[in-house]
Amino acid sequence: MTSDPWSAVAERLGTDLFLDLRIESDAPTRGRSAQLRARLADELRGAIADGRLTPGMRLPPYRSLAADLGLARGTVSSVYSELVAEGWLTARQGAGTAVATGFGSPGPAGLPPATAVSAPHIAHDFSLGQPNTSQFPRSAWIRSMRRAVSTADDAAFGPTLPNGSEQLRVALAGYLARARGVRAHPDQIVLTTSVLSGLELLARTLFQESVAVEAYGLPFFRDAFTRHGAAVSAIPVDHDGADVGALVDLNPKPQTVLLTPSHQSPVGVSLAPKRRSTLVEWARATDTFLIEDDYDGELRYDREPVGALQALAPESIIYTGSVSKSLSPSVRIGWLVLPPQLVSTIMWAKGMREPDASIVDQLALADMIESGSYDKHIRSSRQFYRKRRQVLIESLDAHGIATLGIAAGLHAVIPVPLDVEASVLAATYERGFSLGGLDVLRHRDAPRLRGTDGEPTGGILVGFGTPSVSTFDEDVTALIDLLDDYLPKRRLRAE
């Protein structure tokens, strides 16, 4: 049996290692082999010294490196031996050759240290709208990923149409119909990487003139439209959700209205039934598209499920959602469920193929839905967050601090006077807290939410999903201590 040529064998061994062995053009040609040997030794010393090769890093076998560099095997072997003798490298039988401990720089690739941007120290993390990282279903995700990759057709790993994986669109259409009441064919779904990316797509494609939003909401959602030239106006929010009756007075009439009807973000109330029907009638009568962000639609606790508004008028409502809370913001999967007449416009606005999303992740999520593990995870998460919410509510109530907006979702609103909101937020950095403020999320031209006394109110937004399991009780105690400093002898009343 004839053995492989060494160059073919070398391709299967070792790792890539870039070394610049160019010799000056005016260097003498005699002794070129010795020059290359010296150049190789100097390059390896330099790579170790400046941190390109770090302590403990394994080098390619000398035969593999020789084949890559076009050098004699004896040349590379002798250089390795020389550097071992000098203490730059270590060599052990069966373990190969590696950079010696104690040599080299811990910095990357000889570049000057980057200017570090120091993040504030967060001792008590109540960040808004984030799931607990410990709840990610690692085992279920790994099983689904393994099944999805091993059973997918070869075509699944090629370029994908801009609406994303067909398998996930089919699975998602069934899941949204069953769990949220959404009425859609798989071909009406365009997959994105997040709700924000979906809004960006709508903003640059369809709605560049005038958009209405709720008075309170995430600023970067509003910014998605203003960046593309739209005038963004606000409609008031009260304890029945968005005051949709105010839409008739807006001038100019908005091209679209962005709402969070299931769980208003961030006030935490659902859109009242009468207002839901009024909104749908107005959209149909004025031929206006609505954008429904199904914020916290799956994470409900002690109330009857509120179905998606989209089911009332699928021809007029663009429905959007993601897995950023149900799974993780690191899983970059979102979706737009579109009226049929908008599908081709949005789909091809993305380009001829999917430009951003990981199709492999889409296949894994499709398997989770099809196998039932996604539903199981949602139910488990709901129980986890319900217990946390109860601990938070009871602890705050024991100190006379009331909450609202806690029937669903991952945050609670503690209503406080506007000056108290400002004072508490000003103290968060010094005291190591991450908290949100209700008034901070208000559209600058919008009226403020009013309390039971009729006066404008602020609020502290407490994300109870974020604190780690090991520190949750301690974090809640620290939160109460913080609030007590600004609410002495004051009993807040729930709105």
Side-chain angles (χ1 to χ4, degrees), residues 427-467:
T428 56
Y429 180 89
E430 180 182 346
R431 297 178 63 163
F433 280 84
S434 177
L435 294 165
L438 185 63
D439 202 55
V440 173
L441 300 185
R442 181 179 60 88
H443 186 288
R444 64 179 182 276
D445 299 327
R448 288 185 169 91
L449 184 71
R450 294 185 177 273
T452 54
D453 57 3
E455 294 298 317
T457 185
I460 303 300
L461 307 180
V462 181
F464 56 81
T466 322

Side-chain angles (χ1 to χ4, degrees), residues 237-243 269-272 275:
V237 170
D238 57 26
H239 299 287
D240 286 326
D243 183 3
V269 295
S270 58
L271 188 63
R275 291 186 178 182

Side-chain angles (χ1 to χ4, degrees), residues 213-215 235-245 257-260 264 269-272 275 279:
V213 299
E214 295 163 317
I235 52 179
V237 170
D238 57 26
H239 299 287
D240 286 326
D243 183 3
V244 297
V257 184
L258 171 63
L259 303 112
T260 52
Q264 202 286 324
V269 295
S270 58
L271 188 63
R275 291 186 178 182
L279 178 64

Side-chain angles (χ1 to χ4, degrees), residues 230-471:
V232 177
S233 54
I235 52 179
V237 170
D238 57 26
H239 299 287
D240 286 326
D243 183 3
V244 297
L247 288 169
V248 298
D249 298 323
L250 291 181
N251 186 22
K253 182 184 83 67
Q255 293 176 291
T256 189
V257 184
L258 171 63
L259 303 112
T260 52
S262 294
H263 189 231
Q264 202 286 324
S265 167
V267 176
V269 295
S270 58
L271 188 63
K274 177 63 176 175
R275 291 186 178 182
R276 289 166 69 93
S277 58
T278 298
L279 178 64
V280 168
E281 290 169 5
W282 175 84
R284 284 173 169 157
T286 59
D287 197 26
T288 303
F289 289 110
L290 307 176
I291 303 174
E292 177 184 9
D293 175 9
D294 196 16
Y295 187 79
D296 292 335
E298 294 164 313
L299 295 174
R300 60 185 184 274
Y301 306 119
D302 51 10
R303 73 177 186 199
E304 290 299 315
V306 178
L309 186 69
Q310 189 265 3
L312 302 180
E315 76 287 353
S316 300
I317 297 177
I318 301 167
Y319 176 92
T320 183
S322 75
V323 298
S324 65
K325 288 186 183 178
S326 61
L327 283 178
S328 165
S330 295
V331 179
R332 308 298 294 157
I333 299 177
W335 49 83
L336 294 170
V337 179
L338 298 159
Q341 65 269 36
L342 300 182
V343 173
S344 61
T345 299
I346 296 300
M347 177 176 168
W348 297 112
K350 293 180 70 178
M352 292 299 293
R353 60 179 64 170
E354 168 55 57
D356 301 310
S358 166
I359 303 302
V360 174
D361 284 354
Q362 292 181 6
L363 294 174
L365 178 59
D367 184 88
M368 283 192 71
I369 294 173
E370 292 164 354
S371 67
S373 60
Y374 185 71
D375 281 88
K376 182 179 179 180
H377 168 68
I378 293 294
R379 291 192 297 272
S380 174
S381 296
R382 206 177 285 150
Q383 292 301 316
F384 176 83
Y385 295 122
R386 178 185 281 117
K387 292 176 182 177
R388 287 198 152 204
R389 182 203 64 156
Q390 198 61 32
V391 170
L392 178 66
I393 294 171
E394 291 175 356
S395 299
L396 292 172
D397 186 65
H399 287 75
I401 304 173
T403 55
L404 62 86
I406 41 74
L410 293 178
H411 77 272
V413 182
I414 300 174
V416 298
L418 289 167
D419 62 326
V420 172
E421 176 185 328
S423 298
V424 171
L425 294 183
T428 56
Y429 180 89
E430 180 182 346
R431 297 178 63 163
F433 280 84
S434 177
L435 294 165
L438 185 63
D439 202 55
V440 173
L441 300 185
R442 181 179 60 88
H443 186 288
R444 64 179 182 276
D445 299 327
R448 288 185 169 91
L449 184 71
R450 294 185 177 273
T452 54
D453 57 3
E455 294 298 317
T457 185
I460 303 300
L461 307 180
V462 181
F464 56 81
T466 322
S468 69
V469 174
S470 61
T471 66

